[in-house]
Amino acid sequence: MNSSAYQTPEQVSIYVKPEAKERARVMSRSEGIEYAQLAMDAIDHFLSENMLAFLVRARLEVSRPNGSHFPPRRNLRSKSRPGIRRVLWPVQFRPAELDILNDLVQDTGAEHLSTLVSVAVEAYLLDDDGVDSSPSTDDAAISSGR
């Protein structure tokens, strides 16, 4: 039997807001949960709410001003908004998990694994306490080609 539990994990570079990285570190230590499990819990949560694709679109689309007759555009250039930055959050996923994640990247239009994971993790960890978790057009993974 080739269970994913016995597969060697592969480290993946995910870029998240520093507050999300710190919240994940605290949760990992206090609850004994691995970063990958936390990321998968976040993705499962938003999949069950039918919100994952919405979160991805919100990250990648540039909104139009109020009153515009035009729809939002896809953000093709990943320029950081002032005050928004993301930091490296290395996560280890097993090959079977990566297969599912890569399918979700395609299904949601995320383009990059980092985008998919970070939108879910940031919304999951930062949405409850007034920390600004509004979607941004910044995604260090896109600019770094990941």
PDB file of all heavy atoms in Angstrom, residues 25-59:
ATOM      1  N   ARG A  25       3.163  29.797  13.509  1.00  0.00           N
ATOM      2  CA  ARG A  25       4.223  29.305  14.407  1.00  0.00           C
ATOM      3  C   ARG A  25       3.661  29.060  15.804  1.00  0.00           C
ATOM      4  O   ARG A  25       3.906  28.017  16.412  1.00  0.00           O
ATOM      5  CB  ARG A  25       5.375  30.312  14.472  1.00  0.00           C
ATOM      6  CG  ARG A  25       6.593  29.807  15.254  1.00  0.00           C
ATOM      7  CD  ARG A  25       7.615  30.902  15.493  1.00  0.00           C
ATOM      8  NE  ARG A  25       7.117  31.969  16.341  1.00  0.00           N
ATOM      9  CZ  ARG A  25       6.989  31.869  17.671  1.00  0.00           C
ATOM     10  NH1 ARG A  25       7.309  30.767  18.297  1.00  0.00           N
ATOM     11  NH2 ARG A  25       6.532  32.887  18.368  1.00  0.00           N
ATOM     12  N   VAL A  26       2.883  29.995  16.317  1.00  0.00           N
ATOM     13  CA  VAL A  26       2.294  29.861  17.646  1.00  0.00           C
ATOM     14  C   VAL A  26       1.343  28.666  17.690  1.00  0.00           C
ATOM     15  O   VAL A  26       1.392  27.851  18.620  1.00  0.00           O
ATOM     16  CB  VAL A  26       1.567  31.169  18.059  1.00  0.00           C
ATOM     17  CG1 VAL A  26       0.717  30.963  19.298  1.00  0.00           C
ATOM     18  CG2 VAL A  26       2.582  32.281  18.268  1.00  0.00           C
ATOM     19  N   MET A  27       0.491  28.529  16.682  1.00  0.00           N
ATOM     20  CA  MET A  27      -0.445  27.403  16.642  1.00  0.00           C
ATOM     21  C   MET A  27       0.290  26.073  16.539  1.00  0.00           C
ATOM     22  O   MET A  27      -0.097  25.092  17.176  1.00  0.00           O
ATOM     23  CB  MET A  27      -1.414  27.543  15.470  1.00  0.00           C
ATOM     24  CG  MET A  27      -2.486  28.572  15.687  1.00  0.00           C
ATOM     25  SD  MET A  27      -3.621  28.649  14.290  1.00  0.00           S
ATOM     26  CE  MET A  27      -4.492  27.099  14.486  1.00  0.00           C
ATOM     27  N   SER A  28       1.337  26.052  15.731  1.00  0.00           N
ATOM     28  CA  SER A  28       2.105  24.827  15.551  1.00  0.00           C
ATOM     29  C   SER A  28       2.693  24.360  16.878  1.00  0.00           C
ATOM     30  O   SER A  28       2.629  23.175  17.213  1.00  0.00           O
ATOM     31  CB  SER A  28       3.219  25.064  14.529  1.00  0.00           C
ATOM     32  OG  SER A  28       4.034  23.921  14.410  1.00  0.00           O
ATOM     33  N   ARG A  29       3.238  25.292  17.612  1.00  0.00           N
ATOM     34  CA  ARG A  29       3.856  24.935  18.900  1.00  0.00           C
ATOM     35  C   ARG A  29       2.818  24.607  19.956  1.00  0.00           C
ATOM     36  O   ARG A  29       2.964  23.638  20.702  1.00  0.00           O
ATOM     37  CB  ARG A  29       4.747  26.062  19.385  1.00  0.00           C
ATOM     38  CG  ARG A  29       6.010  26.146  18.568  1.00  0.00           C
ATOM     39  CD  ARG A  29       7.028  27.040  19.188  1.00  0.00           C
ATOM     40  NE  ARG A  29       8.248  26.993  18.385  1.00  0.00           N
ATOM     41  CZ  ARG A  29       9.192  27.876  18.455  1.00  0.00           C
ATOM     42  NH1 ARG A  29       9.100  28.895  19.284  1.00  0.00           N
ATOM     43  NH2 ARG A  29      10.261  27.765  17.701  1.00  0.00           N
ATOM     44  N   SER A  30       1.765  25.398  20.060  1.00  0.00           N
ATOM     45  CA  SER A  30       0.788  25.194  21.136  1.00  0.00           C
ATOM     46  C   SER A  30      -0.112  23.979  20.887  1.00  0.00           C
ATOM     47  O   SER A  30      -0.504  23.306  21.829  1.00  0.00           O
ATOM     48  CB  SER A  30      -0.059  26.445  21.347  1.00  0.00           C
ATOM     49  OG  SER A  30      -0.889  26.674  20.230  1.00  0.00           O
ATOM     50  N   GLU A  31      -0.416  23.696  19.626  1.00  0.00           N
ATOM     51  CA  GLU A  31      -1.333  22.604  19.310  1.00  0.00           C
ATOM     52  C   GLU A  31      -0.631  21.390  18.719  1.00  0.00           C
ATOM     53  O   GLU A  31      -1.283  20.390  18.422  1.00  0.00           O
ATOM     54  CB  GLU A  31      -2.422  23.110  18.358  1.00  0.00           C
ATOM     55  CG  GLU A  31      -3.260  24.217  18.981  1.00  0.00           C
ATOM     56  CD  GLU A  31      -4.313  24.760  18.043  1.00  0.00           C
ATOM     57  OE1 GLU A  31      -4.709  24.039  17.097  1.00  0.00           O
ATOM     58  OE2 GLU A  31      -4.747  25.897  18.249  1.00  0.00           O
ATOM     59  N   GLY A  32       0.668  21.482  18.519  1.00  0.00           N
ATOM     60  CA  GLY A  32       1.415  20.359  17.969  1.00  0.00           C
ATOM     61  C   GLY A  32       0.999  20.002  16.552  1.00  0.00           C
ATOM     62  O   GLY A  32       0.975  18.835  16.182  1.00  0.00           O
ATOM     63  N   ILE A  33       0.693  21.003  15.755  1.00  0.00           N
ATOM     64  CA  ILE A  33       0.240  20.779  14.390  1.00  0.00           C
ATOM     65  C   ILE A  33       1.328  21.214  13.408  1.00  0.00           C
ATOM     66  O   ILE A  33       1.969  22.245  13.606  1.00  0.00           O
ATOM     67  CB  ILE A  33      -1.089  21.536  14.136  1.00  0.00           C
ATOM     68  CG1 ILE A  33      -1.659  21.214  12.776  1.00  0.00           C
ATOM     69  CG2 ILE A  33      -0.923  23.021  14.316  1.00  0.00           C
ATOM     70  CD1 ILE A  33      -3.069  21.747  12.572  1.00  0.00           C
ATOM     71  N   GLU A  34       1.546  20.426  12.375  1.00  0.00           N
ATOM     72  CA  GLU A  34       2.536  20.764  11.351  1.00  0.00           C
ATOM     73  C   GLU A  34       1.989  21.855  10.443  1.00  0.00           C
ATOM     74  O   GLU A  34       0.775  21.979  10.266  1.00  0.00           O
ATOM     75  CB  GLU A  34       2.864  19.538  10.497  1.00  0.00           C
ATOM     76  CG  GLU A  34       3.578  18.442  11.238  1.00  0.00           C
ATOM     77  CD  GLU A  34       3.856  17.238  10.355  1.00  0.00           C
ATOM     78  OE1 GLU A  34       3.497  17.268   9.151  1.00  0.00           O
ATOM     79  OE2 GLU A  34       4.427  16.273  10.861  1.00  0.00           O
ATOM     80  N   TYR A  35       2.887  22.625   9.862  1.00  0.00           N
ATOM     81  CA  TYR A  35       2.474  23.688   8.951  1.00  0.00           C
ATOM     82  C   TYR A  35       1.638  23.143   7.792  1.00  0.00           C
ATOM     83  O   TYR A  35       0.653  23.762   7.388  1.00  0.00           O
ATOM     84  CB  TYR A  35       3.684  24.431   8.389  1.00  0.00           C
ATOM     85  CG  TYR A  35       4.392  25.325   9.373  1.00  0.00           C
ATOM     86  CD1 TYR A  35       5.711  25.697   9.150  1.00  0.00           C
ATOM     87  CD2 TYR A  35       3.764  25.820  10.513  1.00  0.00           C
ATOM     88  CE1 TYR A  35       6.377  26.537  10.029  1.00  0.00           C
ATOM     89  CE2 TYR A  35       4.424  26.655  11.396  1.00  0.00           C
ATOM     90  CZ  TYR A  35       5.727  27.009  11.158  1.00  0.00           C
ATOM     91  OH  TYR A  35       6.386  27.837  12.018  1.00  0.00           O
ATOM     92  N   ALA A  36       2.031  22.008   7.246  1.00  0.00           N
ATOM     93  CA  ALA A  36       1.275  21.438   6.128  1.00  0.00           C
ATOM     94  C   ALA A  36      -0.155  21.112   6.551  1.00  0.00           C
ATOM     95  O   ALA A  36      -1.097  21.367   5.802  1.00  0.00           O
ATOM     96  CB  ALA A  36       1.966  20.186   5.599  1.00  0.00           C
ATOM     97  N   GLN A  37      -0.307  20.564   7.751  1.00  0.00           N
ATOM     98  CA  GLN A  37      -1.654  20.244   8.231  1.00  0.00           C
ATOM     99  C   GLN A  37      -2.480  21.517   8.389  1.00  0.00           C
ATOM    100  O   GLN A  37      -3.650  21.557   8.021  1.00  0.00           O
ATOM    101  CB  GLN A  37      -1.579  19.492   9.564  1.00  0.00           C
ATOM    102  CG  GLN A  37      -2.925  19.002  10.053  1.00  0.00           C
ATOM    103  CD  GLN A  37      -3.554  17.996   9.117  1.00  0.00           C
ATOM    104  OE1 GLN A  37      -2.896  17.077   8.626  1.00  0.00           O
ATOM    105  NE2 GLN A  37      -4.831  18.157   8.830  1.00  0.00           N
ATOM    106  N   LEU A  38      -1.864  22.558   8.907  1.00  0.00           N
ATOM    107  CA  LEU A  38      -2.541  23.838   9.060  1.00  0.00           C
ATOM    108  C   LEU A  38      -2.974  24.381   7.690  1.00  0.00           C
ATOM    109  O   LEU A  38      -4.105  24.837   7.519  1.00  0.00           O
ATOM    110  CB  LEU A  38      -1.611  24.834   9.762  1.00  0.00           C
ATOM    111  CG  LEU A  38      -2.135  26.235   9.966  1.00  0.00           C
ATOM    112  CD1 LEU A  38      -3.378  26.240  10.834  1.00  0.00           C
ATOM    113  CD2 LEU A  38      -1.051  27.091  10.601  1.00  0.00           C
ATOM    114  N   ALA A  39      -2.076  24.313   6.721  1.00  0.00           N
ATOM    115  CA  ALA A  39      -2.396  24.782   5.368  1.00  0.00           C
ATOM    116  C   ALA A  39      -3.537  23.967   4.768  1.00  0.00           C
ATOM    117  O   ALA A  39      -4.467  24.526   4.172  1.00  0.00           O
ATOM    118  CB  ALA A  39      -1.152  24.702   4.480  1.00  0.00           C
ATOM    119  N   MET A  40      -3.490  22.647   4.923  1.00  0.00           N
ATOM    120  CA  MET A  40      -4.546  21.800   4.370  1.00  0.00           C
ATOM    121  C   MET A  40      -5.876  22.048   5.082  1.00  0.00           C
ATOM    122  O   MET A  40      -6.937  22.038   4.452  1.00  0.00           O
ATOM    123  CB  MET A  40      -4.136  20.330   4.413  1.00  0.00           C
ATOM    124  CG  MET A  40      -3.004  20.018   3.443  1.00  0.00           C
ATOM    125  SD  MET A  40      -2.522  18.278   3.377  1.00  0.00           S
ATOM    126  CE  MET A  40      -1.767  18.057   4.991  1.00  0.00           C
ATOM    127  N   ASP A  41      -5.839  22.284   6.399  1.00  0.00           N
ATOM    128  CA  ASP A  41      -7.065  22.616   7.141  1.00  0.00           C
ATOM    129  C   ASP A  41      -7.681  23.899   6.600  1.00  0.00           C
ATOM    130  O   ASP A  41      -8.897  23.995   6.425  1.00  0.00           O
ATOM    131  CB  ASP A  41      -6.783  22.774   8.637  1.00  0.00           C
ATOM    132  CG  ASP A  41      -6.498  21.460   9.345  1.00  0.00           C
ATOM    133  OD1 ASP A  41      -6.702  20.384   8.743  1.00  0.00           O
ATOM    134  OD2 ASP A  41      -6.051  21.521  10.510  1.00  0.00           O
ATOM    135  N   ALA A  42      -6.847  24.899   6.336  1.00  0.00           N
ATOM    136  CA  ALA A  42      -7.333  26.170   5.807  1.00  0.00           C
ATOM    137  C   ALA A  42      -7.962  25.976   4.433  1.00  0.00           C
ATOM    138  O   ALA A  42      -9.064  26.484   4.157  1.00  0.00           O
ATOM    139  CB  ALA A  42      -6.187  27.179   5.731  1.00  0.00           C
ATOM    140  N   ILE A  43      -7.288  25.226   3.575  1.00  0.00           N
ATOM    141  CA  ILE A  43      -7.812  24.982   2.230  1.00  0.00           C
ATOM    142  C   ILE A  43      -9.108  24.184   2.302  1.00  0.00           C
ATOM    143  O   ILE A  43     -10.101  24.530   1.640  1.00  0.00           O
ATOM    144  CB  ILE A  43      -6.752  24.287   1.358  1.00  0.00           C
ATOM    145  CG1 ILE A  43      -5.618  25.279   1.070  1.00  0.00           C
ATOM    146  CG2 ILE A  43      -7.362  23.751   0.069  1.00  0.00           C
ATOM    147  CD1 ILE A  43      -4.381  24.663   0.470  1.00  0.00           C
ATOM    148  N   ASP A  44      -9.141  23.130   3.117  1.00  0.00           N
ATOM    149  CA  ASP A  44     -10.370  22.345   3.276  1.00  0.00           C
ATOM    150  C   ASP A  44     -11.530  23.212   3.766  1.00  0.00           C
ATOM    151  O   ASP A  44     -12.661  23.083   3.290  1.00  0.00           O
ATOM    152  CB  ASP A  44     -10.161  21.195   4.267  1.00  0.00           C
ATOM    153  CG  ASP A  44      -9.507  19.982   3.635  1.00  0.00           C
ATOM    154  OD1 ASP A  44      -9.536  19.852   2.391  1.00  0.00           O
ATOM    155  OD2 ASP A  44      -8.977  19.151   4.399  1.00  0.00           O
ATOM    156  N   HIS A  45     -11.233  24.099   4.711  1.00  0.00           N
ATOM    157  CA  HIS A  45     -12.271  24.976   5.254  1.00  0.00           C
ATOM    158  C   HIS A  45     -12.898  25.822   4.148  1.00  0.00           C
ATOM    159  O   HIS A  45     -14.124  25.882   4.012  1.00  0.00           O
ATOM    160  CB  HIS A  45     -11.686  25.879   6.347  1.00  0.00           C
ATOM    161  CG  HIS A  45     -12.626  26.935   6.803  1.00  0.00           C
ATOM    162  ND1 HIS A  45     -13.683  26.673   7.650  1.00  0.00           N
ATOM    163  CD2 HIS A  45     -12.694  28.261   6.506  1.00  0.00           C
ATOM    164  CE1 HIS A  45     -14.356  27.794   7.859  1.00  0.00           C
ATOM    165  NE2 HIS A  45     -13.770  28.766   7.178  1.00  0.00           N
ATOM    166  N   PHE A  46     -12.057  26.469   3.339  1.00  0.00           N
ATOM    167  CA  PHE A  46     -12.595  27.350   2.304  1.00  0.00           C
ATOM    168  C   PHE A  46     -13.162  26.582   1.118  1.00  0.00           C
ATOM    169  O   PHE A  46     -14.071  27.084   0.440  1.00  0.00           O
ATOM    170  CB  PHE A  46     -11.559  28.397   1.895  1.00  0.00           C
ATOM    171  CG  PHE A  46     -11.317  29.385   2.998  1.00  0.00           C
ATOM    172  CD1 PHE A  46     -10.122  29.397   3.693  1.00  0.00           C
ATOM    173  CD2 PHE A  46     -12.315  30.269   3.392  1.00  0.00           C
ATOM    174  CE1 PHE A  46      -9.912  30.287   4.735  1.00  0.00           C
ATOM    175  CE2 PHE A  46     -12.118  31.157   4.434  1.00  0.00           C
ATOM    176  CZ  PHE A  46     -10.911  31.173   5.110  1.00  0.00           C
ATOM    177  N   LEU A  47     -12.683  25.367   0.876  1.00  0.00           N
ATOM    178  CA  LEU A  47     -13.321  24.519  -0.133  1.00  0.00           C
ATOM    179  C   LEU A  47     -14.733  24.141   0.313  1.00  0.00           C
ATOM    180  O   LEU A  47     -15.673  24.187  -0.477  1.00  0.00           O
ATOM    181  CB  LEU A  47     -12.503  23.250  -0.374  1.00  0.00           C
ATOM    182  CG  LEU A  47     -11.319  23.372  -1.315  1.00  0.00           C
ATOM    183  CD1 LEU A  47     -10.489  22.088  -1.290  1.00  0.00           C
ATOM    184  CD2 LEU A  47     -11.771  23.690  -2.733  1.00  0.00           C
ATOM    185  N   SER A  48     -14.886  23.780   1.577  1.00  0.00           N
ATOM    186  CA  SER A  48     -16.208  23.385   2.083  1.00  0.00           C
ATOM    187  C   SER A  48     -17.184  24.559   2.086  1.00  0.00           C
ATOM    188  O   SER A  48     -18.389  24.372   1.997  1.00  0.00           O
ATOM    189  CB  SER A  48     -16.105  22.784   3.487  1.00  0.00           C
ATOM    190  OG  SER A  48     -15.789  23.782   4.435  1.00  0.00           O
ATOM    191  N   GLU A  49     -16.659  25.778   2.156  1.00  0.00           N
ATOM    192  CA  GLU A  49     -17.485  26.988   2.111  1.00  0.00           C
ATOM    193  C   GLU A  49     -17.655  27.510   0.675  1.00  0.00           C
ATOM    194  O   GLU A  49     -18.267  28.561   0.473  1.00  0.00           O
ATOM    195  CB  GLU A  49     -16.843  28.086   2.962  1.00  0.00           C
ATOM    196  CG  GLU A  49     -16.680  27.745   4.426  1.00  0.00           C
ATOM    197  CD  GLU A  49     -18.004  27.745   5.168  1.00  0.00           C
ATOM    198  OE1 GLU A  49     -18.841  28.617   4.886  1.00  0.00           O
ATOM    199  OE2 GLU A  49     -18.182  26.868   6.028  1.00  0.00           O
ATOM    200  N   ASN A  50     -17.087  26.794  -0.292  1.00  0.00           N
ATOM    201  CA  ASN A  50     -17.079  27.236  -1.694  1.00  0.00           C
ATOM    202  C   ASN A  50     -16.501  28.644  -1.837  1.00  0.00           C
ATOM    203  O   ASN A  50     -17.003  29.448  -2.620  1.00  0.00           O
ATOM    204  CB  ASN A  50     -18.481  27.166  -2.300  1.00  0.00           C
ATOM    205  CG  ASN A  50     -18.966  25.758  -2.453  1.00  0.00           C
ATOM    206  OD1 ASN A  50     -18.206  24.870  -2.844  1.00  0.00           O
ATOM    207  ND2 ASN A  50     -20.219  25.519  -2.113  1.00  0.00           N
ATOM    208  N   MET A  51     -15.439  28.932  -1.085  1.00  0.00           N
ATOM    209  CA  MET A  51     -14.848  30.264  -1.072  1.00  0.00           C
ATOM    210  C   MET A  51     -13.413  30.302  -1.600  1.00  0.00           C
ATOM    211  O   MET A  51     -12.862  31.382  -1.774  1.00  0.00           O
ATOM    212  CB  MET A  51     -14.848  30.824   0.362  1.00  0.00           C
ATOM    213  CG  MET A  51     -16.216  31.148   0.903  1.00  0.00           C
ATOM    214  SD  MET A  51     -16.961  32.558   0.075  1.00  0.00           S
ATOM    215  CE  MET A  51     -15.847  33.867   0.545  1.00  0.00           C
ATOM    216  N   LEU A  52     -12.799  29.159  -1.839  1.00  0.00           N
ATOM    217  CA  LEU A  52     -11.378  29.158  -2.203  1.00  0.00           C
ATOM    218  C   LEU A  52     -11.124  29.887  -3.519  1.00  0.00           C
ATOM    219  O   LEU A  52     -10.240  30.738  -3.604  1.00  0.00           O
ATOM    220  CB  LEU A  52     -10.827  27.731  -2.252  1.00  0.00           C
ATOM    221  CG  LEU A  52      -9.318  27.625  -2.421  1.00  0.00           C
ATOM    222  CD1 LEU A  52      -8.579  28.311  -1.274  1.00  0.00           C
ATOM    223  CD2 LEU A  52      -8.904  26.169  -2.509  1.00  0.00           C
ATOM    224  N   ALA A  53     -11.914  29.589  -4.543  1.00  0.00           N
ATOM    225  CA  ALA A  53     -11.722  30.255  -5.839  1.00  0.00           C
ATOM    226  C   ALA A  53     -11.980  31.761  -5.711  1.00  0.00           C
ATOM    227  O   ALA A  53     -11.284  32.573  -6.329  1.00  0.00           O
ATOM    228  CB  ALA A  53     -12.627  29.648  -6.896  1.00  0.00           C
ATOM    229  N   PHE A  54     -12.951  32.143  -4.886  1.00  0.00           N
ATOM    230  CA  PHE A  54     -13.229  33.566  -4.652  1.00  0.00           C
ATOM    231  C   PHE A  54     -12.015  34.257  -4.026  1.00  0.00           C
ATOM    232  O   PHE A  54     -11.626  35.346  -4.435  1.00  0.00           O
ATOM    233  CB  PHE A  54     -14.459  33.732  -3.755  1.00  0.00           C
ATOM    234  CG  PHE A  54     -14.651  35.138  -3.286  1.00  0.00           C
ATOM    235  CD1 PHE A  54     -15.242  36.086  -4.114  1.00  0.00           C
ATOM    236  CD2 PHE A  54     -14.228  35.524  -2.028  1.00  0.00           C
ATOM    237  CE1 PHE A  54     -15.405  37.402  -3.693  1.00  0.00           C
ATOM    238  CE2 PHE A  54     -14.385  36.832  -1.591  1.00  0.00           C
ATOM    239  CZ  PHE A  54     -14.980  37.770  -2.426  1.00  0.00           C
ATOM    240  N   LEU A  55     -11.410  33.627  -3.031  1.00  0.00           N
ATOM    241  CA  LEU A  55     -10.232  34.204  -2.372  1.00  0.00           C
ATOM    242  C   LEU A  55      -9.082  34.373  -3.362  1.00  0.00           C
ATOM    243  O   LEU A  55      -8.375  35.386  -3.339  1.00  0.00           O
ATOM    244  CB  LEU A  55      -9.792  33.341  -1.194  1.00  0.00           C
ATOM    245  CG  LEU A  55     -10.730  33.321   0.011  1.00  0.00           C
ATOM    246  CD1 LEU A  55     -10.268  32.261   1.013  1.00  0.00           C
ATOM    247  CD2 LEU A  55     -10.807  34.680   0.668  1.00  0.00           C
ATOM    248  N   VAL A  56      -8.898  33.381  -4.212  1.00  0.00           N
ATOM    249  CA  VAL A  56      -7.830  33.465  -5.221  1.00  0.00           C
ATOM    250  C   VAL A  56      -8.113  34.616  -6.175  1.00  0.00           C
ATOM    251  O   VAL A  56      -7.227  35.432  -6.456  1.00  0.00           O
ATOM    252  CB  VAL A  56      -7.688  32.129  -5.980  1.00  0.00           C
ATOM    253  CG1 VAL A  56      -6.802  32.289  -7.217  1.00  0.00           C
ATOM    254  CG2 VAL A  56      -7.142  31.048  -5.063  1.00  0.00           C
ATOM    255  N   ARG A  57      -9.352  34.699  -6.673  1.00  0.00           N
ATOM    256  CA  ARG A  57      -9.695  35.795  -7.591  1.00  0.00           C
ATOM    257  C   ARG A  57      -9.496  37.150  -6.930  1.00  0.00           C
ATOM    258  O   ARG A  57      -9.003  38.085  -7.546  1.00  0.00           O
ATOM    259  CB  ARG A  57     -11.156  35.667  -8.063  1.00  0.00           C
ATOM    260  CG  ARG A  57     -11.323  34.836  -9.299  1.00  0.00           C
ATOM    261  CD  ARG A  57     -12.704  34.971  -9.917  1.00  0.00           C
ATOM    262  NE  ARG A  57     -13.803  34.958  -8.968  1.00  0.00           N
ATOM    263  CZ  ARG A  57     -14.375  33.867  -8.482  1.00  0.00           C
ATOM    264  NH1 ARG A  57     -13.943  32.680  -8.855  1.00  0.00           N
ATOM    265  NH2 ARG A  57     -15.379  33.954  -7.633  1.00  0.00           N
ATOM    266  N   ALA A  58      -9.888  37.263  -5.662  1.00  0.00           N
ATOM    267  CA  ALA A  58      -9.742  38.528  -4.950  1.00  0.00           C
ATOM    268  C   ALA A  58      -8.272  38.933  -4.855  1.00  0.00           C
ATOM    269  O   ALA A  58      -7.943  40.116  -4.920  1.00  0.00           O
ATOM    270  CB  ALA A  58     -10.365  38.428  -3.560  1.00  0.00           C
ATOM    271  N   ARG A  59      -7.384  37.965  -4.709  1.00  0.00           N
ATOM    272  CA  ARG A  59      -5.945  38.260  -4.647  1.00  0.00           C
ATOM    273  C   ARG A  59      -5.423  38.697  -6.009  1.00  0.00           C
ATOM    274  O   ARG A  59      -4.615  39.601  -6.123  1.00  0.00           O
ATOM    275  CB  ARG A  59      -5.185  37.024  -4.174  1.00  0.00           C
ATOM    276  CG  ARG A  59      -3.671  37.047  -4.359  1.00  0.00           C
ATOM    277  CD  ARG A  59      -2.886  37.866  -3.348  1.00  0.00           C
ATOM    278  NE  ARG A  59      -3.076  37.407  -1.998  1.00  0.00           N
ATOM    279  CZ  ARG A  59      -2.374  36.450  -1.404  1.00  0.00           C
ATOM    280  NH1 ARG A  59      -1.383  35.854  -2.050  1.00  0.00           N
ATOM    281  NH2 ARG A  59      -2.631  36.099  -0.162  1.00  0.00           N
TER     282      ARG A  59
END
